[in-house]
C-alpha cells in the first residue's frame, strides 16, 4: 500500500472520534458559560457534557445512519407506488385524510 493512502486511512479513522471529543468540549463550554447564569443550573464537567451529547443524539437524532436512510427511501418508494395506482379522486381523498390527521395533531388540539 502506498504511504499516501496509509495517511488518509489514519486520518479517516482518527477524525470522527476527535470531532466528537471537540464537540463535547464545545457543549461543556457553552453549558458552563450560558446556562448557570440564565437558569441557575450547576456547571458540568467534560464527561457529563459527553453524556449530554450522546443523550441528545439518542433522543433527537437517533442512530439510524444508512439503515435509517434506507428505511425512509423504502417507505417513500412504497407510498409513491401506492399513489401511482390511484385515480385522481382517490389521490385527493387520500390527501384530504392526511390533511385532517395533521391538522388535528398534538400541537393543534389546544386550539379546539
Amino acid at each position: 500500500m502506498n504511504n499516501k493512502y496509509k495517511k488518509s486511512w489514519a486520518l479517516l479513522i482518527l477524525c470522527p472520534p476527535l470531532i466528537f471529543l471537540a464537540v463535547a468540549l464545545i457543549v461543556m463550554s457553552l453549558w458552563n458559560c450560558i446556562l448557570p447564569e440564565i437558569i441557575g443550573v450547576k456547571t458540568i464537567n467534560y464527561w457529563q457534557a459527553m453524556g449530554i451529547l450522546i443523550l441528545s443524539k439518542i433522543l433527537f437524532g437517533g442512530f439510524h445512519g444508512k439503515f435509517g436512510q434506507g428505511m425512509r427511501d423504502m417507505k417513500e418508494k412504497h407510498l409513491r407506488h401506492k399513489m401511482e395506482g390511484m385515480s385522481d379522486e382517490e389521490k385527493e381523498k387520500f390527501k384530504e385524510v392526511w390533511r385532517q390527521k395533521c391538522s388535528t395533531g398534538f400541537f393543534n388540539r389546544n386550539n379546539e
Side-chain angles (χ1 to χ4, degrees):
M1 184 183 280
N2 192 347
N3 195 22
K4 180 174 112 178
Y5 294 116
K6 286 182 183 178
K7 289 180 183 178
S8 64
W9 275 106
L11 192 63
L12 185 66
I13 291 171
L14 288 176
C15 274
L18 291 176
I19 290 171
F20 178 74
L21 296 174
V23 170
L25 185 63
I26 292 169
V27 168
M28 181 189 74
S29 299
L30 287 172
W31 180 289
N32 290 338
C33 290
I34 297 170
L35 291 178
E37 291 182 23
I38 294 175
I39 58 175
V41 295
K42 294 180 182 178
T43 59
I44 60 173
N45 62 31
Y46 183 78
W47 300 108
Q48 290 169 327
M50 195 177 290
I52 290 171
L53 189 61
I54 293 169
L55 181 63
S56 65
K57 178 66 177 165
I58 292 169
L59 294 176
F60 303 117
F63 289 101
H64 36 73
K66 288 186 178 187
F67 174 75
Q69 181 65 38
M71 293 299 289
R72 284 189 297 276
D73 290 346
M74 190 170 65
K75 288 177 185 176
E76 187 177 324
K77 187 184 234 182
H78 174 73
L79 184 59
R80 233 186 268 129
H81 179 67
K82 187 176 178 180
M83 294 288 280
E84 286 174 359
M86 293 183 181
S87 66
D88 290 337
E89 296 86 21
E90 289 173 325
K91 287 179 185 179
E92 285 304 316
K93 185 177 179 183
F94 180 80
K95 289 177 184 178
E96 185 59 35
V97 167
W98 276 100
R99 280 189 202 108
Q100 288 175 352
K101 285 183 180 183
C102 292
S103 67
T104 59
F106 177 77
F107 293 107
N108 294 330
R109 290 184 183 190
N110 296 333
N111 297 336
E112 295 177 354

